[in-house]
Structure formats: C-alpha cells, structure tokens
Amino acid sequence: MANPRNAKLADQIKVILASTIERRVKDPRLGFVTLTEVRLTGDNREATVFYTVLGDEAERTASAAALESAKGMLRSTVGAQLGMKFTPSLTFVLDATPEVAKSMEDLLARVQAMDAEAATQATGKTFAGDADPYRKPREESDEE
C-alpha cells in the first residue's frame, strides 16, 4: 500500500470491523478474535483482513466459520459507515505471526543453549598459536 489514502482507509475498515464484531456478531462459535491488519488492493475492491484467535485449533476453525458466516453483514456495515461508491469484498485470513514468533523464540533459545555449551567447553583451554594472531606494524628500536 504505497498510497497513504489506502492506508488510512484500511485503518478505518479495521476499526469498523473490530467494533462490529465486538458488538453485533452474536455467533457462539466466535472466540477471542483480534484483528491485526487490513490490506486493500490498489483499486479498493478487495480487503484482506488478518486476524488471530486466542485458543487451540478447534477454536480457530470455529472462529473462522463464524467470520465467514458474518461476512455479508460485516461488509454491509463497512459500506454504510464509509459511504464509498464500491464497498470492498472481505477475505478473512488467519494471521501466522504468533506461530512464527514462537518458532523464532524457540530457535533463539536453542542457539543460546548451544552458545552456553560451547562456552563451558572452552573454559581452561588455550589457543593453539599466539594469543594475538594478528600482525602488528614493526616497532623500530633505538639501536637502529
């Protein structure tokens, strides 16, 4: 979204959807849903709504079904509040950011454990050559 107007419109759509989901969607399948981002196409005809759900896989699938069933009502609410010529069609996509962040944290913890193990193995060891292997400029002595 290079266009700042699209970015502002996406933020407005996100706010409208969040308040509508909180107040008007009464589906019991809907879990604790958080909208993370809305992306619009260049012509503002399609909006991709990224969301996360707190809970296990069953709650994620139930919330996805609830959002799909409420898609028409949500789109009409967005159109009524924005007053645009064309209301964008909504596509709900489960955001993978929490899973990616968890895997990154696991990798960092594993690397940190490997560094600690290497540090414990290096205690009491000496270098094979000189302690400072880098060449230094030759120092002239007073005798020369």
Side-chain angles (χ1 to χ4, degrees), residues 109-125:
R110 196 170 86 198
V111 167
Q112 189 176 19
M114 290 170 63
D115 284 348
E117 180 183 339
T120 57
Q121 289 178 354
T123 56
K125 306 267 172 109

Side-chain angles (χ1 to χ4, degrees), residues 58-132:
E59 290 180 10
R60 288 186 189 124
T61 55
S63 295
L67 287 172
E68 279 298 316
S69 68
K71 185 187 291 189
M73 185 267 299
L74 293 171
R75 183 175 182 216
S76 63
T77 304
V78 167
Q81 290 191 15
L82 289 179
M84 296 174 57
K85 183 175 182 179
F86 296 107
T87 303
S89 62
L90 302 175
T91 306
F92 291 97
V93 177
L94 185 63
D95 198 358
T97 303
E99 289 84 15
V100 172
K102 172 114 175 67
S103 66
M104 292 286 264
E105 287 176 0
D106 292 343
L107 287 173
L108 288 173
R110 196 170 86 198
V111 167
Q112 189 176 19
M114 290 170 63
D115 284 348
E117 180 183 339
T120 57
Q121 289 178 354
T123 56
K125 306 267 172 109
T126 59
F127 292 105
D130 294 332
D132 189 10

